[in-house]
Amino acid sequence: RLAFDLMLAIDRAAAEAMIPGFLDDPSTELRRDAVALLITEGRKQLTPEAGDTAATTYRKALDAARDVDQIQEIAKALTNLKQQVDLPRHFGFLTDWQIIGPFHNNARKGFAEEFPPENSINLKASYPGKESKVQWQALATSDPYGKVDLNKPYGKLKEVTGYAYHEFESTETRPAELRLGCKNAWKVWLNGKLLFSRDEYHRGQRIDQYKMPAQLEKGTNSILIKLCQNEQKEDWTVQWEFQLRVCDATGTAIPAANRPKSELK
């Protein structure tokens, strides 16, 4: 990026002529400029006589976009053009999970305690929970940004721990990143290996808040997330949710072989 900025300072016209070629550049900073050109072009094509031209331009921009703000702007424009956009697929958000809970998090001790899902995954098993026996159940989300809300099945509970489990089928062995957004305390395991954890609460949530380098194995990869709620009672502390996507280092989604096909066009 620094080299390109120097080129702009030396010969702006020649440098700007290179920008359209950055659309598939591995540098997201350079790619951003090329996407911005397409967004500008799409805006100019928003006339009745342009027909489907604007939609085609915005689709091309969406395919190349990796920055969240640009993706959101493009998605809004396509929606206004009566086009459907599969944002979870574009980002690579995982939307189908198995969940179990609630276990306790009394005095915030649940974060360190090893509950049964941390030792083995048996989706047919049941275990003693905080108040009664708990067992695995399916939870899918239709949120455009992949948010999985544990309050829906369990209610607005406090001082509790839950787990979410997903099996990701990779077509090859390859490097990847697991990117998580979560405002609760959490731990993430890939194929039984702890990738990272964070024992803090209610610091906000955003897409790609935490980036964890990982190695996908060819075939089935198990992803387990531990999610804890603390004792705070304020309204802004009751959210018990997360969003997780699988992508490469540039933010390009890595599609799972077992991901359901999208019905969106």
Side-chain angles (χ1 to χ4, degrees):
R1 180 68 210 198
L2 176 60
F4 182 68
D5 287 343
L6 290 172
M7 291 178 64
L8 282 170
I10 296 168
D11 189 340
R12 174 165 290 274
E16 288 181 344
M18 298 173 62
I19 292 177
F22 296 156
L23 204 58
D24 295 315
D25 199 279
S27 166
T28 53
E29 292 184 353
L30 294 177
R31 183 188 291 243
R32 181 181 179 87
D33 289 355
V35 172
L37 282 182
L38 285 177
I39 292 174
T40 300
E41 183 181 342
R43 289 197 200 103
K44 294 177 180 177
Q45 295 169 343
L46 291 175
T47 58
E49 58 272 16
D52 295 331
T53 306
T56 301
T57 300
Y58 277 117
R59 285 285 179 191
K60 185 177 180 181
L62 181 62
D63 289 343
R66 296 294 177 267
D67 290 335
V68 173
D69 61 330
Q70 286 187 328
I71 293 170
Q72 291 175 330
E73 181 179 353
I74 296 165
K76 181 178 180 180
L78 284 169
T79 300
N80 291 339
L81 290 168
K82 311 301 181 184
Q83 299 284 313
Q84 291 183 308
V85 182
D86 192 340
L87 285 177
R89 183 175 294 272
H90 178 83
F91 279 105
F93 285 117
L94 305 184
T95 58
D96 295 283
W97 295 85
Q98 293 287 328
I99 61 168
I100 191 169
F103 300 94
H104 84 83
N105 188 29
N106 300 329
R108 304 193 185 188
K109 294 181 178 179
F111 181 83
E113 185 169 338
E114 292 185 4
F115 296 104
E118 295 182 35
N119 298 315
S120 64
I121 300 295
N122 180 354
L123 297 180
K124 296 182 179 180
S126 60
Y127 308 103
K130 184 175 182 179
E131 302 291 345
S132 59
K133 279 191 174 182
V134 296
Q135 60 187 24
W136 292 96
Q137 60 179 294
L139 179 62
T141 178
S142 58
D143 183 87
Y145 297 101
K147 288 187 179 181
V148 181
D149 185 359
L150 297 185
N151 284 335
K152 288 185 177 180
Y154 297 135
K156 296 181 179 180
L157 305 178
K158 300 298 295 183
E159 292 192 283
V160 289
T161 298
Y163 292 87
Y165 177 75
H166 180 90
E167 292 185 346
F168 184 99
E169 295 287 339
S170 178
T171 58
E172 59 180 332
T173 298
R174 60 168 298 169
E177 286 188 359
L178 270 59
R179 297 189 178 186
L180 176 76
C182 183
K183 63 171 56 179
N184 309 105
W186 57 268
K187 295 182 179 182
V188 173
W189 293 264
L190 175 65
N191 295 327
K193 177 184 177 181
L194 180 65
L195 292 183
F196 205 77
S197 63
R198 200 165 182 90
D199 187 13
E200 64 179 14
Y201 296 84
H202 311 304
R203 292 284 301 274
Q205 178 181 346
R206 65 182 185 277
I207 296 173
D208 294 351
Q209 190 172 5
Y210 306 104
K211 300 178 182 180
M212 293 164 276
Q215 181 78 3
L216 293 176
E217 301 297 333
K218 183 177 181 179
T220 302
N221 294 265
S222 64
I223 299 173
L224 179 68
I225 308 178
K226 182 177 189 174
L227 301 137
C228 299
Q229 269 281 36
N230 68 355
E231 75 287 349
Q232 290 175 263
K233 302 293 185 182
E234 295 89 347
D235 289 343
W236 49 270
T237 71
V238 300
Q239 290 181 325
W240 191 19
E241 63 187 26
F242 71 94
Q243 54 189 172
L244 185 138
R245 71 185 185 113
V246 181
C247 59
D248 66 14
T250 72
T252 303
I254 298 176
N258 59 333
R259 188 183 185 100
K261 292 184 177 180
S262 174
E263 296 180 357
L264 298 181
K265 304 297 183 182

